[in-house]
């Protein structure tokens, strides 16, 4: 229902956006809001294509980076014994309890000390550690029998081959779920643009859309463009989820063994 509402809201003319009582479905569809959004973006100093490029580039790199880091972290936590294993996993579980606002200052200090402010690394590096992704993959890999991995090692497979040819293929449902979470986190993220980027050329499309209705004298102006902006932010997430939805369902309903 929220998805249907967002699609309808984007096509509502202004007199329907502010009608009371509010309507759920659009009665007189109009592309006026899309035209307004294009007019607003055409007057911006930085072209809208730059914001879109930044968002797509960062989102794709985040999906790849988060997936690789999560797999490389979850596999040893699940199938290997080493000092501090329980402490590390407990720390990851503890990270799930913290909201992003709690770690904004420490994260800024880390990014600043690394000298990656106003760079693509400033967008990417804070997103690489996704505790929920590590937790999900670790729990999924736990279901792969140790005997299967031992049989592979007896046949001469090293750890890289075991991971690449057995663990990863059998964990694809969980990996797809982590990829969706990573994409959603990167695509809608405003914090890195607001905190780590000084130049508009390095900021993302969601951050630009968040400024459409800011610093205005009233609450009516650009609300149509904001409605379209909400749709623009939703569509990539929706498409990404639809493509990988079967893997997500498998993660929730089945084990890692076929």
């Amino acid at each position: 229902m929220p998805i249907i509402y967002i699609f309808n809201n984007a096509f509502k003319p202004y007199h329907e956006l502010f009608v009371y009582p509010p309507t759920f479905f659009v009665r007189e569809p109009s592309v006026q809001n899309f035209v307004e959004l294009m007019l607003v973006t055409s007057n911006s100093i930085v072209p809208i294509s730059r914001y879109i490029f930044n968002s797509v580039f960062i989102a794709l790199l985040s999906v790849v980076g988060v997936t690789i880091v999560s797999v490389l972290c979850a596999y040893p936590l699940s199938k290997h014994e080493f000092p501090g294993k329980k402490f590390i996993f407990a720390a990851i579980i503890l990270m799930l309890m913290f909201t992003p606002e709690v770690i904004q200052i420490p994260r800024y200090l880390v990014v600043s000390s690394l000298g990656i402010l106003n760079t693509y690394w400033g967008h990417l590096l804070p997103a690489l550690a996704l505790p929920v992704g590590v937790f999900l993959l670790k729990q999924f890999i736990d279901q792969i029998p140790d005997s299967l991995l031992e049989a592979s090692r007896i046949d001469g497979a090293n750890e890289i081959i075991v991971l690449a040819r057995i663990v990863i293929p059998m964990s694809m449902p969980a990996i797809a779920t982590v990829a969706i979470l990573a994409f959603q986190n990167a695509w809608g993220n405003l914090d890195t643009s607001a905190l780590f980027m000084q130049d508009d050329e390095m900021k993302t499309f969601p951050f630009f859309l968040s400024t459409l209705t800011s610093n205005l004298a009233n609450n009516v102006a650009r609300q149509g463009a904001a409605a379209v902006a909400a749709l623009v932010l939703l569509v990539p997430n929706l498409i990404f989820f639809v493509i990988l939805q079967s893997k997500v369902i498998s993660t929730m309903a089945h084990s890692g063994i076929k």
Side-chain angles (χ1 to χ4, degrees):
M1 296 302 289
I3 293 175
I4 297 174
Y5 177 79
I6 290 175
F7 272 92
N8 278 271
N9 218 35
F11 290 93
K12 286 181 180 180
Y14 266 81
H15 66 272
E16 288 192 40
L17 284 173
F18 295 96
V19 68
Y20 185 84
T23 59
F24 191 86
F25 295 102
V26 57
R27 297 174 181 174
E28 301 175 10
S30 172
V31 295
Q32 171 189 348
N33 297 335
F34 292 86
V35 174
E36 181 182 358
L37 178 61
M38 288 187 289
L39 290 176
V40 171
T41 54
S42 65
N43 296 325
S44 61
I45 299 175
V46 179
I48 190 174
S49 57
R50 177 69 181 188
Y51 294 109
I52 295 176
F53 170 79
N54 289 341
S55 292
V56 173
F57 182 68
I58 294 164
L60 293 179
L61 285 182
S62 295
V63 169
V64 175
V66 168
T67 302
I68 293 175
V69 170
S70 297
V71 170
L72 293 179
C73 183
Y75 174 59
L77 285 175
S78 175
K79 296 301 181 183
H80 290 269
E81 295 296 332
F82 55 88
K85 171 183 174 180
K86 293 184 178 179
F87 173 78
I88 294 175
F89 186 63
I92 293 173
I93 298 298
L94 184 63
M95 292 177 192
L96 296 174
M97 301 174 59
F98 290 94
T99 61
E101 292 76 14
V102 174
I103 60 174
Q104 279 184 352
I105 294 177
R107 188 168 61 173
Y108 177 84
L109 294 176
V110 171
V111 172
S112 178
S113 63
L114 291 176
I116 56 176
L117 291 174
N118 215 37
T119 66
Y120 284 117
W121 282 110
H123 285 290
L124 180 62
L125 197 61
L128 288 182
L130 188 65
V132 66
V134 176
F135 174 78
L136 180 62
L137 276 169
K138 193 267 182 187
Q139 298 301 104
F140 201 89
I141 295 174
D142 282 346
Q143 301 176 45
I144 300 177
D146 294 337
S147 57
L148 180 62
L149 305 183
E150 288 299 327
S152 301
R153 295 188 182 100
I154 292 174
D155 288 339
N158 56 30
E159 289 300 323
I160 296 177
I161 294 177
V162 170
L163 178 63
R165 296 189 178 182
I166 298 178
V167 175
I168 291 180
M170 298 181 72
S171 304
M172 282 307 297
I175 291 175
T177 305
V178 172
I180 291 176
L181 295 175
F183 182 84
Q184 291 177 340
N185 184 56
W187 179 254
N189 186 16
L190 305 177
D191 293 341
T192 54
S193 294
L195 299 176
F196 308 145
M197 307 297 143
Q198 289 80 39
D199 297 338
D200 287 342
E201 291 84 357
M202 295 303 301
K203 296 181 179 180
T204 59
F205 188 58
F207 177 84
F208 171 73
L209 295 181
S210 70
T211 64
L212 286 177
T213 58
S214 62
N215 300 322
L216 296 180
N218 59 70
N219 295 324
V220 177
R222 295 185 183 175
Q223 288 300 324
V228 176
L231 178 63
V232 172
L233 289 177
L234 169 69
V235 169
N237 279 323
L238 184 62
I239 294 174
F240 202 75
F241 177 79
V242 169
I243 294 174
L244 299 178
Q245 65 173 334
S246 61
K247 297 294 185 180
V248 177
I249 294 173
S250 297
T251 303
M252 305 306 173
H254 304 287
S255 68
I257 307 301
K258 300 296 183 182

